[in-house]
Amino acid sequence: MIAVVHEVRLAPAQKDTLVRLLRSSRAERPTAIVARLLWCEGETVHVISLWESRDALDRYLAAAEAPPVTETLATLGAQTPRIGDVTEYG
């Protein structure tokens, strides 16, 4: 499993808007996404997508345009997402 992590600084009102956007786009998310999480540390928000594998993410990116949430986060100032391995331990 891998995590794709977008990080952006948002005001409290913007966080609420982002949560609504993420919830409304749930039906559009790729089936290879295991879970999506929002982790907030003050004004810093981490939008985390857990993918079943790096291969699944690469196949999706090769066949599709950038996901709408990626474009939205970029307009809010998010940097290029970080991608890392995730191991389930419990």
Side-chain angles (χ1 to χ4, degrees), residues 6-82:
H6 292 85
E7 185 176 302
V8 64
R9 293 181 63 83
L10 298 177
Q14 289 176 302
K15 289 179 198 175
D16 294 339
T17 301
L18 180 59
V19 168
R20 283 193 302 276
L21 170 70
L22 293 172
R23 285 182 177 148
S24 70
S25 67
R26 184 179 186 129
E28 300 166 6
R29 78 180 190 195
T31 57
I33 292 181
V34 176
R36 290 193 310 186
L37 311 165
L38 200 63
W39 172 28
C40 301
E41 295 180 289
E43 291 184 346
T44 302
V45 177
H46 307 271
V47 180
I48 305 165
S49 298
L50 299 178
W51 286 76
E52 61 188 28
S53 68
R54 178 62 193 237
D55 186 53
L57 173 62
D58 290 342
R59 281 192 316 268
Y60 173 77
L61 293 175
E65 295 181 26
V69 69
T70 300
E71 294 175 8
T72 300
L73 291 168
T75 63
L76 294 171
Q79 302 298 316
T80 302
R82 297 182 313 236

